Amino acid sequence: MAFINKNYYLENPMPAFLFLMRHLGVRQGEAQKIVATGRLVVNGETVTDSGAIIRGDLTVKLFEPQPKGYDPIFVTPDFALFDKPSGTLVHPTTYRTPHSMLDEIRHHFGKDANATHRIDMETSGLLLASRTKSAEKSLKTMFENRTVQKSYLAWVRGRIAAPFEVDVPLKQNTDFSTIKLKMLVDRSGKPAHTHFEPIEYDPRHDATLLRATPHTGRQHQIRVHLFHVKHPILGDPIYGVPMPIAIRYLDKVLTAEERRFYMGAPRLMLHAQSLDFQHKGVRYILESRMDFEGLKGLIVPPDERHEAVY
C-alpha cells in the first residue's frame, strides 16, 4: 500500500503542525495538509485543526513509495521523464490505492518530487515529473500556460486517408441519467481544437494509426473529438460503446472478454508520444521509447468486435 500508518507517543503538548514538522521533517504547508486531509489521529480521534494542541497516542497516515520498478527514461537536475504504462494512475485516488506513478517518482527522487501534469489512467506514454518544489511550480506553469507542445498516437476504428482538424467546444456532462459520457460536444462548452494526421492504415484490423496534436487541453479532448467524427479510439470504454457496457466498466465488473468484444482492444489505444518545451533556456524535444505502433496486435479484428455506438 502507498499509504502507511506511523504511530507515536507525544508526552509534552504542542501544536499539531509543529509536531509534524519536527518529527517528520516536513515544511509547515505539508504539515497543515496532512492535518487538513484527516491523516492525523490523536487518542483515537481525527484532528482537523493544524493549530490544535495535542498530546498522547498519535497515528499519522503517510505516503510511502511502493515501486514496481519503472525507471525514468530521461533525467535532469530539475525533472525526470517516465513512460507510464496503460492502467496505471498518476496519483493515488484514495488511501487504498495500491500503486500509482507517484510511487515510482518518489522512490527515485524523494518526497518533494511530483508529477507535473495529468494523463488518464488508461493512456500510456510520457509523464514529466519535477524533482524539486521550485521545479514543480515552473513546470506546472508551463503546462497551464500551454507552452508545452504535446502529441499523441491513437489507433482508431476505420480508415482515415488525409489530415483533418476538429474544432468543436467541449463541456463536462452534469447529467448522467441518460448518458455516461464525461465530456460532451456542446456550443456552450470551452473551445477545443485538435489536429489529426494519419500514419498507417491496417486493413486486417480496419484501424488507422493517427498522430493527434491538441492545441487546447480539455479533459478527454482527443477521445471526444475522435468519437465526434465517428472514428473512436479502439479500446475506449466510454466513448462509442453501449451505455450498459460503459456502466459495467465504471462499476469494475466488466469481464476481459466483454471488453475485447465491445471496445475492440483490452486497453485504451491512446499513447502520449512526445513533449516539446523550453526550460531554463534549453529546448527539449522528448519522445516515448514505447513501440506503440507494434501494439496493433492487441486490436480485435472487425468481425470479432462490436460496432461503435454513437
Side-chain angles (χ1 to χ4, degrees):
M1 295 293 288
F3 283 91
I4 63 168
N5 290 329
K6 286 199 172 183
N7 299 315
Y8 303 88
Y9 179 76
L10 178 62
E11 184 173 352
N12 298 317
M14 69 174 62
F17 76 90
L18 187 58
F19 164 80
L20 295 172
M21 291 176 66
R22 289 181 177 178
H23 287 77
L24 302 183
V26 298
R27 299 181 180 88
Q28 184 172 344
E30 178 62 22
Q32 292 171 332
K33 182 178 179 180
I34 290 172
V35 177
T37 53
R39 291 154 53 195
L40 173 63
V41 176
V42 179
N43 299 320
E45 295 187 3
T46 301
V47 174
T48 56
D49 178 5
S50 63
I53 304 301
I54 60 173
R55 65 175 297 179
D57 293 313
L58 313 179
T59 299
V60 185
K61 189 178 291 292
L62 298 173
F63 182 88
E64 186 169 284
Q66 300 291 323
K68 291 187 176 182
Y70 303 155
D71 294 327
I73 62 174
F74 182 74
V75 178
T76 76
D78 287 327
F79 62 81
L81 190 70
F82 289 83
D83 245 336
K84 185 186 86 67
S86 174
T88 301
L89 289 163
V90 172
H91 285 100
T93 53
T94 71
Y95 296 142
R96 296 179 181 178
T97 300
H99 175 260
S100 70
M101 287 304 298
L102 195 61
D103 289 277
E104 309 299 330
I105 293 167
R106 292 193 174 169
H107 167 71
H108 284 285
F109 303 110
K111 61 182 178 64
D112 285 343
N114 201 6
T116 60
H117 57 113
R118 68 173 186 264
I119 302 179
D120 288 345
M121 179 184 73
E122 291 219 0
T123 303
S124 56
L126 296 186
L127 176 67
L128 195 67
S130 57
R131 297 183 58 181
T132 66
K133 288 296 184 183
S134 59
E136 178 182 356
K137 183 177 180 180
S138 63
L139 292 170
K140 283 186 174 180
T141 298
M142 287 193 320
F143 282 98
E144 291 167 0
N145 291 342
R146 303 295 302 166
T147 58
V148 180
Q149 295 181 354
K150 298 185 284 186
S151 77
Y152 293 76
L153 297 177
W155 280 105
V156 304
R157 293 175 183 257
R159 183 172 187 172
I160 299 174
F164 63 100
E165 308 278 331
V166 180
D167 191 357
V168 293
L170 301 181
K171 181 180 180 180
Q172 188 164 7
N173 184 22
T174 57
D175 180 9
F176 292 97
S177 60
T178 59
I179 192 168
K180 294 298 177 183
L181 306 185
K182 189 167 187 177
M183 302 295 293
L184 303 171
V185 172
D186 193 289
R187 291 182 180 179
S188 65
K190 296 181 179 179
H193 178 202
T194 314
H195 174 77
F196 296 99
E197 181 179 356
I199 298 172
E200 171 191 344
Y201 174 68
D202 185 275
R204 177 176 178 270
H205 296 98
D206 187 28
T208 300
L209 178 65
L210 294 178
R211 181 179 298 276
T213 305
H215 297 292
T216 49
R218 309 304 172 207
Q219 189 173 22
H220 292 186
Q221 176 173 316
I222 296 171
R223 296 167 66 181
V224 181
H225 276 175
L226 287 167
F227 172 65
H228 178 67
V229 297
K230 295 182 169 49
H231 288 283
I233 299 174
L234 284 152
D236 196 317
I238 303 296
Y239 301 96
V241 301
M243 189 170 71
I245 299 301
I247 293 172
R248 285 181 59 79
Y249 167 79
L250 294 170
D251 289 341
K252 302 185 187 304
V253 296
L254 191 74
T255 68
E257 292 76 14
E258 286 176 316
R259 170 121 202 206
R260 286 174 52 82
F261 176 69
Y262 284 101
M263 289 103 180
R267 56 154 285 185
L268 177 69
M269 300 300 284
L270 179 64
H271 183 70
Q273 176 63 22
S274 71
L275 295 172
D276 183 345
F277 60 91
Q278 290 205 17
H279 182 65
K280 293 185 175 180
V282 178
R283 184 181 180 186
Y284 295 92
I285 303 175
L286 306 172
E287 293 274 345
S288 169
R289 295 180 182 176
M290 184 182 296
D291 178 19
F292 181 73
E293 181 179 0
L295 293 183
K296 65 182 176 183
L298 297 175
I299 300 171
V300 178
D303 58 347
E304 299 176 18
R305 68 186 186 229
H306 194 272
E307 292 186 3
V309 177
Y310 301 102

